[in-house]
C-alpha cells in the first residue's frame, strides 16, 4: 500500500509559480481492519519542492509482521514541472533493514543503490540504462500537476501515464478518469476529489513468475482519489483502493491539512 501511494504523475508543465503545504495522516486497512498508519508532509515553493512520508504497521498485523518505512524526495520546479534531484527510502522489518537512494538529473538516473545489495536473481528482468532515462522516483511521481488555468480537480488529472524507477523496478502507472466525488477528512479537507482508475504495467527489474506482480498487472479495479494542495495546481492521493484475495485494501487520509503560502517577494536594494 505504501508503494501504491507513490504511484501517480508529475508530468505537466506550467510556468505559473504557486506555493502550498500539506500535512496529512493516513490509515491503511484490509477488509475494514486497520493494519497501518502513516504521515505525509509536502512543501511546494515557487522554485523548489520537498516531500517526506513515514509509516508502519499497527494492530493485529504488527504482532506477526511488524514493519516501518520512510521515504523522501527533493528537487526544483523548472518551468512549472517538478524535477526531482534526489530520492531516499528505508524499510525495516523483523528480518532486515533496507535503504534505497537515487540521484537524478533532469529525469535521468545518475546514480542509485540498495543497502544491503540484493542478491542477483537470474529470473529478474534486467533494468538497462535506457530504462533509467526519462523517469520519476516514486515520491515525486505521486505529485500530480495539472496544466492550465481552470480547476485542477478535474478529469484532466487522470490523463496519461508516468514512467517510474524505484531503485529496483522500472514500471509505468497509467490513469483513466472514472468520476468526481466529495470527501471529508476527520480533520482538514472537505471538498471534491477526482477518482481515477490506476493500471500497473511492469517493465523491468521484476521476476515475471511472482504472483503479486501478475496479480497487480492484471487488476482493472484499482482506484485512486486525488485532492488538491492549496495554493498550487498539484493534486495528491486522498485514498487508494486495491482489491486483494483477502478483501479490499484501503489507504485513506484521516487528516488532510493544506494551506496556501504567499509568494516570496524578491528583495530590492
Amino acid at each position: 500500500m505504501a508503494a501504491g501511494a507513490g504511484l501517480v504523475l508529475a508530468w505537466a508543465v506550467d510556468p505559473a509559480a504557486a506555493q502550498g503545504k500539506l500535512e496529512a495522516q493516513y490509515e491503511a486497512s484490509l477488509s475494514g481492519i486497520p493494519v497501518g498508519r502513516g504521515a505525509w508532509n509536502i512543501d511546494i515553493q515557487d522554485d523548489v519542492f520537498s516531500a517526506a512520508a513515514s509509516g508502519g504497521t499497527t494492530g493485529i498485523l504488527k504482532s506477526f509482521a511488524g514493519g516501518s518505512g520512510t521515504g523522501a524526495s527533493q528537487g526544483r520546479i523548472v518551468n512549472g514541472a517538478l524535477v526531482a534531484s534526489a530520492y531516499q527510502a528505508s524499510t525495516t522489518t523483523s528480518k532486515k533493514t533496507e535503504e534505497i537512494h537515487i540521484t537524478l538529473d533532469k529525469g535521468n538516473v545518475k546514480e542509485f543503490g540498495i543497502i544491503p545489495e540484493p542478491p542477483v536473481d537470474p529470473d529478474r528482468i534486467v533494468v538497462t540504462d535506457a530504462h533509467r532515462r526519462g523517469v520519476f522516483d516514486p515520491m515525486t511521481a505521486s505529485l500530480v500537476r495539472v496544466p492550465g488555468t481552470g480547476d485542477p480537480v478535474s478529469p484532466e488529472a487522470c490523463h496519461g501515464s508516468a514512467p517510474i524507477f524505484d531503485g529496483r523496478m522500472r514500471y509505468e502507472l497509467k490513469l483513466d478518469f472514472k468520476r468526481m466525488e466529495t470527501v471529508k477528512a476527520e480533520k482538514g479537507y472537505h471538498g471534491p476529489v477526482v477518482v481515477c482508475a490506476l493500471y500497473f504495467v511492469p517493465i523491468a527489474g521484476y521476476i515475471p513468475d511472482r504472483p503479486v506482480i501478475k496479480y497487480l498487472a492484471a487488476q482493472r479495479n484499482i482506484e485512486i482519489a486525488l485532492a488538491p494542495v492549496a495554493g498550487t495546481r498539484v493534486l495528491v492521493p486522498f485514498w487508494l483502493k486495491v482489491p486483494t484475495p483477502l478483501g479490499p485494501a484501503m489507504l485513506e487520509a484521516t487528516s488532510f491539512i493544506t494551506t496556501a503560502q504567499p509568494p516570496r517577494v524578491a528583495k530590492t536594494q
Side-chain angles (χ1 to χ4, degrees):
M1 290 293 289
L7 288 185
V8 229
L9 17 153
W11 334 291
V13 174
D14 186 338
Q19 301 182 66
K21 290 187 177 182
L22 171 69
E23 295 180 349
Q25 303 284 329
Y26 291 82
E27 182 174 273
S29 62
L30 182 61
S31 293
I33 301 173
V35 295
R37 290 193 183 94
W40 198 10
N41 294 321
I42 298 171
D43 187 359
I44 299 172
Q45 301 296 321
D46 58 356
D47 56 354
V48 296
F49 76 93
S50 63
S54 62
T57 54
T58 62
I60 190 172
L61 181 62
K62 187 175 182 179
S63 65
F64 64 88
S68 62
T70 62
S73 65
Q74 310 84 36
R76 300 190 62 81
I77 298 176
V78 181
N79 295 326
L82 281 68
V83 181
S85 57
Y87 168 78
Q88 311 86 34
S90 176
T91 57
T92 298
T93 67
S94 59
K95 295 182 179 180
K96 68 173 183 177
T97 293
E98 181 179 83
E99 296 182 354
I100 296 175
H101 70 272
I102 304 174
T103 302
L104 303 104
D105 180 23
K106 300 176 183 177
N108 300 319
V109 175
K110 306 303 290 184
E111 192 269 336
F112 72 99
I114 302 175
I115 301 173
E117 187 173 341
V120 176
D121 192 316
D123 295 326
R124 190 179 299 275
I125 296 177
V126 175
V127 178
T128 67
D129 289 341
H131 289 139
R132 293 189 286 267
R133 290 196 289 268
V135 296
F136 296 105
D137 67 83
M139 183 70 72
T140 305
S142 63
L143 310 179
V144 183
R145 200 170 201 288
V146 182
T149 57
D151 188 348
V153 188
S154 65
E156 283 69 29
C158 298
H159 292 168
S161 63
I164 299 172
F165 177 68
D166 64 6
R168 178 180 281 107
M169 280 185 59
R170 167 69 169 84
Y171 55 94
E172 302 266 344
L173 291 167
K174 299 182 178 182
L175 298 180
D176 278 328
F177 172 72
K178 294 200 75 171
R179 62 187 180 275
M180 302 296 297
E181 284 188 4
T182 298
V183 298
K184 188 178 190 310
E186 295 175 11
K187 186 177 181 181
Y189 186 70
H190 179 195
V193 294
V194 55
V195 179
C196 315
L198 178 64
Y199 307 114
F200 169 73
V201 183
I203 304 295
Y206 67 98
I207 298 173
D209 288 338
R210 287 274 172 88
V212 67
I213 295 292
K214 290 182 177 181
Y215 182 84
L216 288 174
Q219 272 300 317
R220 294 298 177 264
N221 295 312
I222 301 174
E223 292 185 345
I224 192 165
L226 304 174
V229 176
T232 77
R233 298 192 61 80
V234 172
L235 309 183
V236 299
F238 185 89
W239 58 250
L240 172 70
K241 298 178 182 178
V242 182
T244 80
L246 300 177
M250 179 82 169
L251 181 71
E252 184 171 19
T254 55
S255 175
F256 197 93
I257 300 172
T258 176
T259 54
Q261 304 296 307
R264 289 185 300 180
V265 177
K267 294 180 179 180
T268 57
Q269 189 128 12

